[in-house]
């Protein structure tokens, strides 16, 4: 069945991109590998005191919570960011 609809798949993908992005579809048969379990994100350290005091003047509690979360995330980083 997949072989019969492969030309339609190619045509739709190429129409989406606007150019000949794919020419051929390779169909492979076999077992699907199990997904790799994700690691839990590192816990965030509390907001540094100097940042926490400057955030106390913000009246909107939702905005203050978001900014505190951002400050804690920035404070928990070490060195340059890594891009996987």
């Amino acid at each position: 069945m997949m072989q019969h609809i492969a030309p339609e798949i190619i045509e739709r993908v190429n129409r989406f991109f606007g150019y000949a992005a794919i020419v051929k579809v390779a169909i492979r048969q076999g077992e699907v590998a199990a997904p790799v379990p994700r690691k839990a994100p590192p816990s965030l350290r509390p907001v540094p005191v100097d940042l926490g005091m400057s955030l106390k003047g913000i009246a909107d509690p939702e905005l203050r919570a978001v900014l505190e979360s951002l400050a804690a995330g920035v404070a928990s980083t070490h060195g340059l960011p890594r891009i996987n």
Side-chain angles (χ1 to χ4, degrees), residues 46-81:
V47 178
V49 175
D50 55 338
L51 286 177
M53 296 307 289
S54 64
L55 297 175
K56 296 295 182 199
I58 298 175
D60 184 8
E62 186 176 349
L63 177 61
R64 184 174 51 246
V66 169
L67 291 175
E68 286 175 352
S69 174
L70 177 63
V74 170
S76 68
T77 59
H78 302 288
L80 298 174

Side-chain angles (χ1 to χ4, degrees), residues 21-48:
I22 61 171
V23 178
K24 180 174 122 178
V25 175
I27 301 172
R28 298 184 187 222
Q29 186 173 330
E31 292 185 30
V32 178
V36 178
R38 294 183 178 191
K39 296 181 192 175
S43 61
L44 299 176
R45 288 190 271 163
V47 178

